[in-house]
Amino acid sequence: RMLVHQNQAGSVIGRGGSRISKIRQDTSSEVKVYADVFPDSTDRCIQLSGQPDHVANAILMVLEDCAQTQPRGRVKHYDPEMNYDPGNTDSCGSYSEPVGFTELAQGGTTAGFVRGGTC
């Protein structure tokens, strides 16, 4: 899972879904952009799954799209320690249990979030 600014998520989707379709086709990966932002933030979740090398290529394509689209307006990154909302997990891509970045970095059992470059 990756967190990107809400308008960068639009670049990953593309007009009529054209860009996300290309990422899926070119990398043979599953790519889902969640509709809602995380609570009290401007971040949206992009979930990628598939073979590790395919997902790595999909991540590169997403990061390239993000690098070409600067965030517009307010930028407020999601803080799971402060703003976790169990009622919002399905629509924004959050985990059903609160998992902090620190816990994930220390080898937690749940896959973590990635925020890279300008995303």
Side-chain angles (χ1 to χ4, degrees):
R1 293 181 185 184
M2 301 172 66
L3 300 182
V4 301
H5 190 271
Q6 57 192 352
N7 76 290
Q8 291 173 316
S11 295
V12 172
I13 295 168
R15 187 177 304 273
S18 61
R19 181 63 181 159
I20 196 169
S21 292
K22 180 168 178 44
I23 294 170
R24 288 173 179 149
Q25 181 178 359
D26 289 358
T27 66
S28 300
S29 297
E30 295 294 321
V31 182
K32 178 178 181 174
V33 179
Y34 285 84
D36 294 338
V37 295
F38 274 76
D40 195 33
S41 80
T42 56
D43 288 335
R44 284 176 65 183
C45 180
I46 300 177
Q47 181 174 316
L48 302 106
S49 59
Q51 296 294 321
D53 56 330
H54 296 172
V55 171
N57 289 331
I59 289 170
L60 289 174
M61 292 180 77
V62 168
L63 290 175
E64 288 170 0
D65 290 343
C66 290
Q68 294 176 14
T69 306
Q70 295 301 312
R72 288 187 306 249
R74 179 176 84 110
V75 174
K76 185 168 185 188
H77 296 303
Y78 174 62
D79 181 353
E81 301 296 329
M82 299 296 295
N83 301 318
Y84 174 72
D85 178 3
N88 197 26
T89 58
D90 290 338
S91 64
C92 72
S94 180
Y95 294 107
S96 58
E97 295 292 326
V99 178
F101 289 105
T102 304
E103 179 182 345
L104 293 170
Q106 295 172 350
T109 58
T110 307
F113 289 104
V114 174
R115 184 179 286 120
T118 58
C119 293

